[in-house]
């Protein structure tokens, strides 16, 4: 079971780390999208959220600073869900669907991230 938990941490934390790296690799495209969605200082916001994702994901992946990692990821997921995936403001059903899917996915991720707080620390195979 310990190895399954480690695998889960690698997959779960790695998802956020890779998403954060994507914020830096695709900075211009993500900045334009954030600007379209009305995010203040979109270029800075993309860098900041990328850093939040990398740090939060790495904490889960490595099993360190779990509380801080959960906080970073939760703040990111709440903010991005309500600002970037506010499907309730979109009238076109085809345009609404992707944002609704991403909003609901993020709500599930918040639930999973918060559950990390209930796992006793230190985690097995943590740094």
């Amino acid at each position: 079971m310990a190895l399954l938990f480690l695998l889960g941490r690698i997959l779960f934390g790695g998802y956020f780390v890779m998403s954060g790296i994507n914020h830096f690799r695709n900075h211009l495209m993500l900045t334009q999208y954030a600007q379209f969605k009305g995010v203040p200082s979109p270029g800075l916001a993309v860098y900041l959220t990328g850093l939040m994702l990398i740090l939060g994901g790495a904490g889960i992946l490595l099993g360190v600073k779990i509380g801080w990692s959960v906080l970073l990821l939760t703040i990111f997921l709440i903010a991005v869900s309500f600002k970037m995936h506010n499907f309730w403001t979109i009238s076109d059903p085809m345009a609404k669907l992707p944002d609704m899917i991403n909003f609901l996915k993020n709500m599930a991720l918040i639930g999973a991230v918060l559950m990390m707080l209930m796992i006793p620390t230190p985690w097995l195979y943590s740094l």
Side-chain angles (χ1 to χ4, degrees):
M1 285 303 209
L3 288 176
L4 288 177
F5 180 58
L6 177 61
L7 177 61
R9 279 181 26 218
I10 291 167
L11 294 171
F12 193 69
Y15 167 79
F16 290 109
V17 170
M18 292 306 297
S19 293
I21 291 169
N22 185 52
H23 276 63
F24 290 91
R25 283 189 180 157
N26 299 307
H27 184 261
L28 179 59
M29 178 185 67
L30 292 173
T31 297
Q32 290 170 342
Y33 184 62
Q35 186 175 23
F36 169 74
K37 288 288 197 166
V39 173
S41 302
L44 179 61
V46 170
Y47 281 133
L48 180 61
T49 56
L51 186 60
M52 291 171 73
L53 287 165
I54 291 170
L55 292 174
I60 299 296
L61 182 81
L62 301 172
V64 296
K65 303 289 184 189
I66 303 306
W68 286 107
S69 300
V70 166
L71 180 64
L72 286 172
L73 294 174
T74 302
I75 290 169
F76 168 80
L77 288 165
I78 289 171
V80 78
S81 296
F82 286 93
K83 184 66 177 173
M84 304 296 289
H85 303 302
N86 51 352
F87 67 92
W88 52 91
T89 65
I90 303 169
S91 57
D92 176 18
M94 292 305 287
K96 181 183 230 173
L97 187 60
D99 276 328
M100 185 172 73
I101 290 168
N102 281 312
F103 181 88
L104 295 173
K105 172 204 47 123
N106 286 351
M107 294 300 106
L109 286 172
I110 290 169
V113 167
L114 292 174
M115 284 189 284
M116 297 285 171
L117 294 173
M118 293 304 300
I119 301 167
T121 57
W123 290 351
L124 293 173
Y125 307 115
S126 295
L127 291 184

